[in-house]
Amino acid sequence: MDKIHVIYGSTTGMTEAVAAKIADALGAKVFNVNADDAVAFDAELLVLGSSTWGIGDLQDDWAARLDHVKDSFASKKVAVFGLGDSQGFADSFCVAAETIANAAKDAGATLVGEVLKLDDTNESDKTDEKVAAWVQTVKSAV
Ligand SMILES: Cc1cc2nc3c(=O)[nH]c(=O)nc-3n(C[C@H](O)[C@H](O)[C@H](O)COP(=O)(O)O)c2cc1C
């Protein structure tokens, strides 16, 4: 089994871009959740990323898949990151990432690190620094 897979859902490509950075920093393979690839969820540590849409909703591909894949989180380590807009959606900022983290916890996963919440819409200059610090925490768990 691979050590780490990064799996993302992304509508306009912002979460996809961050997923690529995280995968690069972790030396991990990266998967789009919409590829419906069972292999994606077969790793010791799953790094799951989603943007938030609607008002606090999962990104569409995660919305379609989460119920089907959450059982595969059991006994895995899971780290979660999300992208959102903290100014336009202050009350529902990155809620989708929390939803995925809660689903993983409920399925029996061990959560690694804090849920990383990024606002590439308003604070893209902070993303690289936040990702670098978070990746260190995630690395220390494997
Ligand atoms: C119609 C619409 C609804 C959104 N709803 C939320 C929201 O509830 N919470 C949040 O944090 N961001 C929200 N966002 C911001 C997106 O999550 C943000 O633009 C994100 O970076 C998109 O990432 P993606 O391209 O990977 O899908 C919304 C954006 C749009 C256009």
Side-chain angles (χ1 to χ4, degrees):
M1 199 190 322
D2 287 342
K3 263 196 154 17
I4 312 177
H5 285 172
V6 178
I7 306 155
Y8 67 88
S10 182
T11 299
T12 68
M14 295 175 79
T15 308
E16 179 176 20
V18 173
K21 284 184 190 184
I22 290 173
D24 214 33
L26 290 170
K29 287 183 195 155
V30 62
F31 299 84
N32 188 327
V33 71
N34 76 7
D36 199 14
D37 187 346
V39 173
F41 293 91
D42 193 21
E44 282 174 40
L45 167 66
L46 304 174
V47 179
L48 309 174
S50 176
S51 48
T52 299
W53 287 86
I55 299 182
D57 295 341
L58 287 168
Q59 188 274 340
D60 279 354
D61 302 309
W62 271 116
R65 292 271 280 142
L66 184 59
D67 275 352
H68 303 285
V69 299
K70 64 185 181 191
D71 285 348
S72 61
F73 301 159
S75 78
K76 302 255 171 60
K77 290 175 187 160
V78 169
V80 182
F81 70 97
L83 270 77
D85 173 353
S86 63
Q87 291 182 18
F89 299 90
D91 292 341
S92 59
F93 179 55
C94 285
V95 163
E98 295 288 355
T99 302
I100 292 175
N102 287 334
K105 238 184 289 176
D106 290 349
T110 304
L111 283 187
V112 169
E114 299 285 312
V115 173
L116 173 67
K117 296 178 180 177
L118 299 167
D119 181 349
D120 245 13
T121 308
N122 305 294
E123 305 176 338
S124 60
D125 53 320
K126 295 189 183 159
T127 296
D128 283 355
E129 197 182 321
K130 287 184 179 175
V131 164
W134 186 76
V135 158
Q136 289 311 317
T137 317
V138 172
K139 262 188 189 165
S140 62
V142 284

